């Protein structure tokens, strides 16, 4: 599925609809509590700015620092808001993040790509500055379809193996990203809450389903699922009458108070 602007645009509506509203409200309240009416928010792996667009209506005065290593995505993200400054950075270099003066760090659809060591190092840096962390829409390893098919489980297992394979930041956590983040932040005294934020897709989401299923089949095939092309053909043919649930989790970590 990659990180193309087209794919990010296709998924944005489903992402915004899936975010857990109660956790989003708590993240907004925490940003206001520590940063006042105009908090400074840093978004990791911002893509074209989906997180900014999800939160901006609730935090209209916030200033945003947008971090990504893709200049084209970054340019689009920065163009989507007044108070947004783009930072072209590789997330592998956490010391290069402009964290001074930041009240809330956000991410979406990112924690499945990172490693345990990366999360440990991020948590260390945020804890040193008492910065809150809100990471939405991390894939959680659970996919289901209705009506189901015999090979859904094998394809999901292969896709999850691919999720946990080597990625640019190292051996990715895949579906374990949220729980690994919970452990790292709780170990530093943060109060951590999580909530489910699944995509529930149906016949109205034909285009998103098509791209998603193709991406799932390609990854599952790379991870050894020989039946992936057949699974894809059947799932594409059934799109107009089937539904699916793709599991995600949102996480909010609030720094300990004196
Ligand atoms: C799945 S996309 C999510 C984008 C956006 N947060 C959203 O929800 O639409 C992951 C983003 O992380 C960025 N990214 C991946 N690896 C990165 C790295 N090593 N350094 C900086 N950005 C990275 C990609 O360019 C992409 O924009």
């Amino acid at each position: 599925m990659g990180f193309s602007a087209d794919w990010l645009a296709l998924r944005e509506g489903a992402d915004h609809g899936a975010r857990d509203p109660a956790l989003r409200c708590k993240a907004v309240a925490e940003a206001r509590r520590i940063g006042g009416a105009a908090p400074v928010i840093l978004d990791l792996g911002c893509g074209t700015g989906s997180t900014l667009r999800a939160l901006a209506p609730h935090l209209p005065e916030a200033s945003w620092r947008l971090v990504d290593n893709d200049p084209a995505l970054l340019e689009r993200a920065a163009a989507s808001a007044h108070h947004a400054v783009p930072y072209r950075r590789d997330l592998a270099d956490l010391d290069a993040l402009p964290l001074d003066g930041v009240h809330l760090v956000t991410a979406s659809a990112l924690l499945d790509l990172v490693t345990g060591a990366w999360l440990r190092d991020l948590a260390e840096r945020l804890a040193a500055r008492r910065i809150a962390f809100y990471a939405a829409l991390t894939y959680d390893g659970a996919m289901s379809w209705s009506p189901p098919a015999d090979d859904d489980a094998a394809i999901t297992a292969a896709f999850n193996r691919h999720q946990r394979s080597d990625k640019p930041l190292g051996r990715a956590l895949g579906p374990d990203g949220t729980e690994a983040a919970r452990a790292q932040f709780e170990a530093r005294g943060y109060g951590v809450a999580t909530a489910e934020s699944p995509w529930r897709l149906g016949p109205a989401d034909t285009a998103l389903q098509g791209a998603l299923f193709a991406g799932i089949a390609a990854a599952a095939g790379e991870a050894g699922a020989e039946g992936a092309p057949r699974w894809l053909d059947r799932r594409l043919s059934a799109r107009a009458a089937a539904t699916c649930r793709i599991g995600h989790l949102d996480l909010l970590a609030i720094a300990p108070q004196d």
Side-chain angles (χ1 to χ4, degrees):
M1 288 167 270
F3 309 133
S4 75
D6 287 348
W7 164 246
L8 297 180
L10 200 51
R11 62 173 292 169
E12 184 160 322
D15 279 344
H16 286 193
R19 265 175 200 267
D20 181 73
L23 214 60
R24 188 195 60 217
C25 279
K26 282 187 189 164
V28 166
E30 180 61 8
R32 286 220 178 94
R33 188 185 69 76
I34 44 180
V40 179
I41 305 176
L42 183 149
D43 189 34
L44 299 169
C46 64
T48 64
S50 179
T51 294
L52 184 158
R53 286 185 287 278
L55 293 188
H58 311 280
L59 287 165
E61 303 300 323
S63 300
W64 287 82
R65 297 178 188 176
L66 303 173
V67 175
D68 209 288
N69 62 354
D70 182 319
L73 297 180
L74 208 44
E75 192 179 330
R76 286 192 188 213
S80 73
H82 296 306
H83 306 297
V85 179
Y87 290 85
R88 188 177 176 187
R89 297 283 188 276
D90 186 340
L91 292 177
D93 184 5
L94 287 174
D95 287 329
L97 292 180
L99 287 175
D100 287 342
V102 167
H103 302 107
L104 173 70
V105 165
T106 58
S108 61
L110 184 76
L111 294 193
D112 38 311
L113 295 171
V114 306
T115 67
W118 186 90
L119 269 178
R120 178 200 63 214
D121 294 348
L122 177 72
E124 247 171 46
R125 283 158 177 76
L126 301 199
R129 296 170 171 85
R130 304 282 175 101
I131 298 174
F133 183 54
Y134 172 47
L137 298 154
T138 305
Y139 174 61
D140 72 0
M143 299 193 282
S144 57
W145 284 264
S146 179
D150 288 346
D151 48 0
D152 289 341
I155 294 295
T156 300
F159 179 73
N160 290 349
R161 280 200 302 281
H162 191 276
Q163 283 269 306
R164 294 186 173 98
S165 63
D166 276 336
K167 303 276 165 75
L169 291 171
R171 177 58 60 101
L173 286 163
D176 308 318
T178 299
E179 281 313 307
R182 177 200 291 282
Q184 290 297 343
F185 282 95
E186 283 185 345
R188 289 163 180 80
Y190 276 62
V192 178
T194 60
E196 294 188 346
S197 52
W199 284 352
R200 296 178 196 280
L201 307 180
D205 310 297
T206 318
L208 177 55
Q209 287 196 62
L212 172 68
F213 297 168
I216 291 170
E222 281 176 29
E226 289 178 4
R230 260 177 293 121
W231 175 87
L232 177 60
D233 282 347
R234 286 200 306 274
R235 277 285 159 227
L236 290 179
S237 315
R239 264 181 303 175
T243 60
C244 74
R245 181 190 186 281
I246 308 295
H248 298 112
L249 290 168
D250 295 351
L251 171 144
L252 175 65
I254 295 180
Q257 295 163 38
D258 294 326

